Each structure stands twice: as structure tokens, then as C-alpha cells.
Amino acid sequence: MPPTASRRRTSALGLLTALAGTALFAWLVWKVGPAEIWTGFRQIGWNLSWILVLGGLRFLMRATAWALCVEPPYRLPVADAFNAVVCGDALGNATPLGPIVGEPAKIACVRHQLPVAPALTALAIENVFYTLSVAAMIAAGAGALLFVGASRGAALPAAFRQLSEVTVATIFVIFAVVAWVLWRRPRMIDRLLRLRAVSGSTQGRASKLDRLRKVERDVFTFASRRKGALVPLVLLEAGFHALGVAEKHLTLWLILPTPPTLLTSFIVEASDRFITAAFKFVPFQVGVGEVGTALATQLLGLGAAPGITLSIVRKARMGVWALVGTALLVRRGLSARRVLDDPELNG
């Protein structure tokens, strides 16, 4: 399928999911009670500014990790990486194309400070660490949910217990597969190209294939080449998730009559990571975010209203930072269409 047709199909699907999510959001708010949700949101007040700061610090964690992955003699200033991450997040959240446009946008924002090839390689490596950290966070959250249910003597509903168990098992399998891939270092690009050649769909130039192979090789050998960067990278990705837990803890502390436990905030943040990963192509995870977070808070005995309020506060934080990212994109003369039509970024 031509790229333009594929994008139109993705955009149409994203529009439909956005409309369905909006309808789901409206139904859920009406069912729980707009007044109760609004009361919880009002309790946040000017403390929303602290939530915005935490969101900015999370961007800083990933920007610093990306800058750390850049290979010498190239260098990416953290400030430039931060601006690029904010821009990429704005496009990734506000459009149904999600990471298809969000990740190339980050590279487009730093192409005047760094050539595309090392920027792409560093971003791919950072995304590997981030994805593994998300998987670990989701698995830990599912395990913690099972622990909380057992410790309270009230077992989780069978469906949620089974989902948690399957999630933990699946992520362990993913980590095992990743360990095998890093150990054996199979030429995955070449195998994929052979499969496409069999189907008669291989279309590519040698320079592009060489760039893909180099990225693959650099990702596989990063741990052996840059041993000193491994611990800081793990700590930065862990810091990203720790700040997410802090955001949930602060929000729950403001809207609940009694302060929550850190374990409760951790489980809610883990569920939020799962929702974001599963519904990345739904702009701002409208509707699905509220439903998922409400289910998490209900399972924790907090009721549905705090979960919906949490999700709305999260959207407010995402919306403010999306406006910042949009302003930075306009300043650079970038848009989703220009990013997608750039052959150097999407070749």
C-alpha cells in the first residue's frame, strides 16, 4: 500500500477511535456524576502547576537519556533534546498517527545540531531502554495488584486476576526474547527484507538498507561499546516512572480524604502506562484513559470518581505541554505533514 494511502487509513481509524473515545468519556462522566468529578478537579487548584513541573521533569529524563545515547564525536545538548522530546510528544499525542509522526519529529527538531543517522541511532537505543522499562513497570504493577488483592483477603475478580497473571508471564517472555536477541544478534533487517522479497514487495535503495543495518548493529552492540552509559540510562528511565508515581501520588493526595499509600499510586501509574502503550494511537487516550484508570481505582477500593479525575488532570497536563510543543513546532516551521513527507526521516 502506498504510504499516503496507509496514512489516510491510519488517520481515518484514529478519527473514529477519537470519536468513540469522546463518546465513552462523556458517558462515563455522566454515569459517575459531573459534580463529583468537578469537585475533585477543583481540589487540585493551583497545585496543577506542580503536576506540570513533574511532567516537564519526565520529559527531561527521556531527553537526557537520548542525549546520553549519542555516539562521540557527536553531541546533543540536553536543552535541544528536551525541546525535541516535547515537540514529538505533542504530535504523538494530538494526532492519530502516534509514534509514526512523533519519533521522526524529534529527529527533525535536532537535525541542525546533529546529523540524522546518529540522531536516529541514539533515539532507537533510548526507545529500547524506555520500552523495556515500561514493560518492567507494567509487570511490577500487575504483580503489585495481585499482592494487594491477596493481602486484603479479597481476591480480584477472576478476569482481572487472569489478565494480571497473563501480563506478568508475557512480559517475562518478552524479556527472555530480548536477552536471546542481544546474545545471538540475529540479522533481523536482512531476514525481514528476505520475507518482503518473497512477497514481491521489496522496494528500497542500498543506502537506506545500509543505514538500517548500521542502526541495528549499533543497537545490538551498544551495551558492549558503552558500558559506562548503561547504569545512568537505567536510572534515567526509572526516574521517568518514579516521577509518574509522584504525579499520581500528589493528585490522589489532593482529591482523597485520606492520603494514599505509595503502593496505590504505583499501581495506578502502572495501569496508566499499560493504557498508554495499548492505546497510543487514540489521541490523548480520550475515553479509554478514564475507563482504565477508573477500573484501577475501583479495584483498589477508591471508587471510580478519583480515577476519572486523575485521568482528566493528566489530560490537562498533557494539553498544556502539547501547546508548548506546538509553539516550538510552529517556530521551527514543522508540522505532521512535513515530517511525514520528509524522505530523509521516513526513508
Side-chain angles (χ1 to χ4, degrees):
M1 183 179 295
T4 53
S6 179
R7 290 171 199 162
R8 288 172 185 166
R9 186 175 179 178
T10 303
S11 298
L13 181 60
L15 179 61
L16 290 175
T17 55
L19 291 174
T22 302
L24 182 62
F25 170 76
W27 172 81
L28 188 62
V29 169
W30 181 260
K31 182 180 178 180
V32 174
E36 185 176 359
I37 297 169
W38 175 245
T39 299
F41 191 80
R42 285 182 59 189
Q43 289 177 272
I44 303 294
W46 287 103
N47 288 297
L48 180 63
S49 59
W50 293 109
I51 294 171
L52 293 175
V53 170
L54 289 172
L57 290 174
R58 298 182 83 186
F59 286 131
L60 181 61
M61 293 294 105
R62 293 204 63 188
T64 305
W66 181 18
L68 187 61
C69 291
V70 175
E71 298 281 350
Y74 299 106
R75 178 178 172 272
L76 177 61
V78 173
D80 293 328
F82 177 85
N83 290 339
V85 169
V86 173
C87 291
D89 187 78
L91 280 181
N93 283 323
T95 67
L97 295 172
I100 293 177
V101 65
E103 299 307 302
K106 295 177 185 178
I107 300 174
C109 289
V110 300
R111 68 194 315 174
H112 296 298
Q113 291 81 21
L114 188 68
V116 170
L120 172 63
T121 300
L123 187 60
I125 293 169
E126 192 277 330
N127 270 287
V128 169
F129 278 88
Y130 171 71
T131 302
L132 292 175
S133 72
V134 169
M137 181 74 177
I138 293 172
L145 185 60
L146 291 170
F147 170 78
V148 168
S151 63
R152 291 178 178 176
L156 295 174
F160 288 100
R161 187 179 67 254
Q162 292 170 3
L163 177 62
S164 298
E165 292 170 348
V166 169
T167 299
V168 172
T170 300
I171 290 174
F172 270 108
V173 171
I174 290 173
F175 272 93
V177 171
V178 170
W180 178 85
V181 168
L182 292 176
W183 176 50
R184 296 298 299 271
R185 298 179 186 176
R187 295 183 177 181
M188 300 173 67
I189 297 297
D190 288 339
R191 291 184 181 182
L192 179 61
L193 289 173
R194 281 199 295 269
L195 289 174
R196 295 184 66 187
V198 170
S199 64
S201 62
T202 299
Q203 297 178 3
R205 294 176 298 183
S207 59
K208 294 180 181 179
L209 299 182
D210 289 340
R211 185 169 67 178
L212 285 174
R213 292 188 183 103
K214 185 178 186 305
V215 171
E216 180 185 54
R217 183 173 62 252
D218 289 344
V219 170
F220 283 159
T221 60
F222 181 81
S224 60
R225 291 181 294 104
R226 303 280 304 280
K227 293 180 181 179
L230 296 181
V231 172
L233 277 173
V234 171
L235 292 177
L236 286 167
E237 301 296 356
F240 173 87
H241 297 297
L243 289 167
V245 174
E247 177 186 321
K248 296 298 186 295
H249 194 73
L250 174 61
T251 308
L252 288 172
W253 181 72
L254 290 169
I255 65 178
L256 292 177
T258 57
T261 64
L262 278 174
L263 185 59
T264 295
S265 303
F266 178 83
I267 293 172
V268 174
E269 172 61 17
S271 68
D272 189 46
R273 287 298 93 202
F274 177 80
I275 295 165
T276 301
F279 299 98
K280 186 63 178 176
F281 289 94
V282 179
F284 291 104
Q285 289 81 58
V286 175
V288 293
E290 284 73 23
V291 170
T293 311
L295 282 173
T297 53
Q298 280 183 310
L299 290 172
L300 293 167
L302 303 177
I308 299 174
T309 304
L310 269 172
S311 190
I312 294 174
V313 170
R314 176 176 177 266
K315 283 176 176 54
R317 184 257 295 165
M318 293 170 67
V320 171
W321 278 106
L323 290 174
V324 174
T326 301
L328 292 172
L329 286 166
V330 171
R331 183 180 178 184
R332 288 172 167 79
L334 292 173
S335 65
R337 181 178 293 277
R338 291 192 64 178
V339 170
L340 289 172
D341 289 341
D342 191 320
E344 192 175 8
L345 299 176
N346 298 278

